[in-house]
């Protein structure tokens, strides 16, 4: 466990808040995050998740939520209203999130991290499209609140695996 984590301090910072109570799972997730480092799709996902996190109030950046809770929040939205979406990119991101969640086994165990993190990488494109098209901080407070709630659910999905805000991207200066 230590050997894997100490190769990348930021990976340890990202994984431990989510899986500190399950050392085998934390080690597996850390190992798989290190393996994915440098993968273009995964690096693009990290950038996208950070964009989501940067626009959310810090209190709304939820990490460590249980899989069933996250799955339900994505598949059966209650925190936000898809009917209030105004831009096709909003619907496209929600559909991509739902398709991804339904296609994942959801298990947060040593055997599933690599597969699930690779699956999540497929969300980089719809996240980029969302931010290219959607003004999250809309002047209309109801629209803005709905968008922030939606992004909070998306962030919780990623945060069930690791705190992506803590990952240092390739080319970023070390802390």
């Amino acid at each position: 466990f230590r050997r894997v984590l100490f190769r990348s301090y930021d990976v340890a910072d990202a994984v431990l808040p989510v899986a500190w109570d399950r050392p085998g799972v934390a080690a597996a997730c850390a190992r798989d995050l290190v393996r994915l480092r440098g993968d273009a799709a995964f690096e693009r996902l990290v950038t996208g998740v950070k964009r989501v996190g940067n626009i959310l109030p810090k209190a709304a950046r939820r990490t460590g939520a249980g899989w069933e809770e996250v799955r339900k929040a994505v598949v059966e939205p209650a925190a936000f209203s898809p009917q209030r979406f105004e831009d096709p990119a909003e619907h496209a991101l929600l559909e991509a999130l739902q398709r991804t969640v339904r296609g994942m086994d959801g298990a947060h165990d040593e055997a599933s991290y690599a597969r699930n993190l690779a699956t999540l990488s497929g969300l980089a494109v719809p996240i980029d499209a969302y931010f290219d098209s959607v003004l999250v901080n809309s002047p209309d407070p109801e629209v803005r609140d709905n968008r922030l709630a939606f992004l909070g659910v998306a962030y919780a999905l990623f945060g069930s695996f690791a705190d992506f805000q803590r990952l240092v991207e390739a080319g970023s200066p070390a802390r």
Side-chain angles (χ1 to χ4, degrees):
F1 180 63
R2 288 180 156 213
R3 187 173 49 104
V4 171
L5 293 180
F6 287 118
R7 287 193 335 209
S8 298
Y9 69 89
D10 61 321
V11 172
D13 287 347
V15 171
L16 289 177
V18 174
W20 67 270
D21 60 338
R22 297 167 291 154
V25 171
C29 185
R31 179 193 62 236
D32 293 336
L33 284 170
V34 168
R35 283 184 188 156
L36 285 167
R37 182 150 281 154
D39 177 82
F42 185 73
E43 294 289 338
R44 191 170 174 189
L45 174 70
V46 171
T47 300
V49 175
K50 285 184 170 198
R51 288 177 82 181
V52 172
N54 288 340
I55 204 157
L56 288 172
K58 194 169 188 171
R61 293 185 209 154
R62 197 151 170 243
T63 58
W67 175 252
E68 286 308 315
E69 177 186 352
V70 169
R71 184 181 195 294
K72 184 174 181 174
V74 171
V75 175
E76 303 169 22
F80 63 92
S81 173
Q83 293 77 21
R84 293 201 50 91
F85 288 171
E86 297 176 341
D87 192 287
E90 293 176 285
H91 292 286
L93 179 55
L94 175 59
E95 290 167 11
L97 288 167
Q98 289 174 333
R99 195 172 40 254
T100 298
V101 166
R102 286 184 181 118
M104 293 170 69
D105 63 16
H108 284 62
D109 58 31
E110 295 176 36
S112 66
Y113 269 99
R115 180 177 56 254
N116 286 339
L117 290 170
T119 299
L120 289 175
S121 295
L123 293 169
V125 171
I127 290 172
D128 286 347
Y130 180 90
F131 282 107
D132 288 345
S133 297
V134 176
L135 176 63
V136 176
N137 287 319
S138 169
D140 180 335
E142 290 182 11
V143 171
R144 179 180 56 243
D145 291 347
N146 193 59
R147 288 177 175 163
L148 288 171
F150 171 52
L151 291 176
V153 168
Y155 194 85
L157 168 63
F158 302 111
S160 70
F161 292 91
D163 185 350
F164 281 70
Q165 291 296 111
R166 296 175 183 242
L167 293 174
V168 176
E169 296 177 76
S172 296
R175 303 189 255 162

